Amino acid sequence: MTQTQAAPAARARLLRTVLRSPSALTGGVLVLLVVLCALFAPLLAPFDPVAYNPADRLQGPSLEHPLGTDIYGRDTFSRVLFGARTSLAVAAISITLALLAGGIAGALAGFFRGNVDVVVMRLSDILLAFPAVLLAIALLAFLGGGFWNLTLAIAVVYSAPFARVARASVLRVREEAYVEASHALGNSPWRILFRHVLPNAASPLIVEVSLRLAFAILAEASLSYLGLGTQPPAPSWGQMIADGRQLLETSPWISIGPGLAITLTVLGFNLLGDGLRDLLDPRLRRQ
Amino acid sequence: MLPFLLKRFGLALVSLLGVLVLVFAMVRLVPGDVVTNLIGLEGNVSPERREELRRLFGLDLPLHVQFGQWFGALLQGDLGTSLRTDRPVLTDLALRFPVTLELTLFALLIALAIALPLGVTAAVNRGKTLDYLASLFALVGIAAPSFWLAILFILLFSLKLGWFPPTGYVLFSEDPLGNLRSLFLPALALGMSLAAATTRIVRSSLLEVLSLDYARTARAKGLPERAVVYRHALRNALIPVVTVVGLQVGNLLGGTVIIEQIFGLPGIGRFALEGINLRDYPVVQGAVLLVAGAFVLVNVLVDVLYALIDPRVRFE
């Protein structure tokens, strides 16, 4: 009974606190905006993002084409809207995978310690021994590009940080008195892990998800720029910037629009992550 | 200090060994195998020739033997030969590494030159316009992708203003000033996110120190604010900055790949990308190994440096 009453109250409190943090609010609005653009791209886009339209090629920004057109006459604004789909899909799927793999491994390592801990930590050491983008590039060099390989590569790269964060958080929570109490009551370790430890260890992971989504968007863009990401014709922001590179002197707008989109999206996730950190962990709140 | 050093180097060796195994395994990730892929580029090849190629790569041997041979050669400085040019990979890496290293250090220098004054200014003017402008710079600098900034810089500083060459590399030995000019925009683009992140850290760390007792004492005895900031607070505020910058230097190394590609710099990163496009696996393997090795080494050096600055670290 107490739980059913507490839940809406807690939610309302969370909402109130989020509204109090300007950075969480700004970030949340930006992220929401990008998500809406991605979801409703077919409705919002004034033009077909892939169909060639030679009559309109390389036009500068105008009322009809707010971000200009590319060498095939495609409307850059429409392509940016559809590019949000690629970017968000890769980021969301890869970070979910990284959270599941890294988060579970890290939580088990922190909770059971011993050999599990040693193995998980050494594996994450190895993954962390590469600069992140370089590891993704190397994996794609051998696996080949494409949507799923790209998603998988980013997931592998970012699973190690999740393992670290989950482990540290679980290590802290498992020393709490209520965990000890649950042990004393004779509850099984698995029950303790899922009922008591994980729910209380989750907040650093929530912050980490938001910040890592920002990294994943940047990684997706970089890898697509290098031609290792999703393949044409589906528009992707990184690839659009690469297309514009050749025509920079005459048609700079081709690269400018998608770059702005990346920057705003990453900014949104960063602000949201920073704001959530301040809200969820008052000790880290800035003066 | 000695136990700390031994432990740190031991861990680094374990990491390096893991890196070796992973890089070795990566080539085996190629769908089908390397030989099938190479043949795919060159048309039909008889089964005999295919077997010969497999033997050439040692792919007919068991995995652990392959690894042993590869590792043994590696210890003697043999990273294999390029499948395309027949040149030893190590020779080409040695030619190109100085470019990547110079770019990385230059980017670090630019990042610090921006972040230290900006972070201090922001902290001293806390809550004023200058502070908000610095925060805005930090937020955008972290969010904007380096390769896009690179393109904007080329557009503005090369194509419009003509201050710097848009692409290309000039050897330091031929023309030192031209060398710095050819690397300035790449280093600026590469260092921008580090500059942004460091600005934030300098600001928050200095603010924290300025609220401590000894800063208050310094003020109470009548020191002007400038002296409090520069003579007392700044030095202590820089300790966390060293850690963050140290952790990021390695990422600068990784970021060089895309920046070298944009500016046409003959460094390790572009070498690796050429290798990827030509499916020249030994080249890719060697380049990844070199950068990962340098990354591990940088991280060890940062830890040691940090232990020297802050003795508490050694006893953890």
Side-chain angles (χ1 to χ4, degrees), chain B residues 206-311:
Chain B
L206 186 57
L207 279 179
E208 195 180 324
V209 172
L210 281 175
S211 72
L212 294 180
D213 284 343
Y214 68 85
R216 196 180 323 160
T217 311
R219 283 196 197 101
K221 73 179 184 188
L223 277 186
E225 190 64 23
R226 286 180 62 88
V228 179
V229 171
Y230 291 102
R231 214 177 308 153
H232 293 261
L234 192 56
R235 194 183 298 185
N236 289 304
L238 288 182
I239 293 178
V241 177
V242 173
T243 336
V244 173
V245 171
L247 284 173
Q248 294 296 323
V249 173
N251 285 329
L252 286 183
L253 265 177
T256 54
V257 177
I258 200 160
I259 294 294
E260 286 173 5
Q261 170 75 3
I262 292 176
F263 288 94
L265 303 175
I268 300 286
R270 205 161 68 104
F271 186 52
L273 287 175
E274 286 163 8
I276 291 174
N277 288 332
L278 294 170
R279 300 196 190 164
D280 197 340
Y281 299 111
V283 164
V284 183
Q285 215 172 20
V288 171
L289 212 53
L290 180 65
V291 177
F295 186 62
V296 172
L297 192 69
V298 166
N299 286 342
V300 173
L301 289 180
V302 169
D303 277 1
V304 172
L305 184 66
Y306 197 46
L308 284 175
I309 300 177
D310 187 351

Side-chain angles (χ1 to χ4, degrees), chain A residues 52-133:
Chain A
Y52 290 5
N53 187 7
D56 283 346
R57 65 197 295 265
L58 297 180
Q59 290 189 6
S62 62
L63 274 180
E64 196 186 2
H65 300 288
L67 296 175
T69 62
D70 70 3
I71 195 165
Y72 301 113
R74 298 175 297 195
D75 177 47
T76 308
F77 178 64
S78 304
R79 288 175 63 73
V80 166
L81 286 177
F82 275 89
R85 297 187 146 194
T86 316
S87 217
L88 286 183
V90 170
I93 300 174
S94 59
I95 294 305
T96 308
L97 291 175
L99 171 67
L100 285 176
I104 291 175
L108 294 178
F111 190 68
F112 291 108
R113 308 297 308 271
N115 288 334
V116 191
D117 195 15
V118 173
V119 171
V120 170
M121 282 301 99
R122 285 299 85 79
L123 282 178
S124 76
D125 275 348
I126 293 171
L127 289 179
L128 291 171
F130 293 86
V133 173

Side-chain angles (χ1 to χ4, degrees), chain B residues 121-148:
Chain B
T121 312
V124 172
N125 296 290
R126 183 179 170 195
K128 297 187 192 148
T129 316
L130 274 176
D131 187 17
Y132 289 118
L133 285 179
S135 293
L136 188 70
F137 165 77
L139 284 171
V140 175
I142 293 174
S146 66
F147 61 95
W148 183 61

Side-chain angles (χ1 to χ4, degrees), chain A residues 106-113 164-183 189 191-205 280-281 283:
Chain A
L108 294 178
F111 190 68
F112 291 108
R113 308 297 308 271
R164 285 289 165 98
V165 173
R167 175 177 179 272
S169 182
V170 165
L171 271 180
R172 204 182 58 241
V173 173
R174 77 195 282 271
E175 304 302 331
E176 299 280 345
Y178 54 81
V179 174
E180 207 178 321
S182 190
H183 265 299
R191 189 180 154 81
I192 297 171
L193 178 62
F194 284 104
R195 286 286 298 184
H196 302 296
V197 175
L198 284 186
N200 287 299
S203 14
L205 282 171
L280 295 171
D281 193 348
R283 277 169 306 168

Side-chain angles (χ1 to χ4, degrees), chain A residues 208-224:
Chain A
E208 190 71 10
V209 165
S210 188
L211 295 175
R212 288 292 158 192
L213 279 168
F215 280 107
I217 300 268
L218 280 176
E220 190 273 337
S222 308
L223 295 164
S224 296

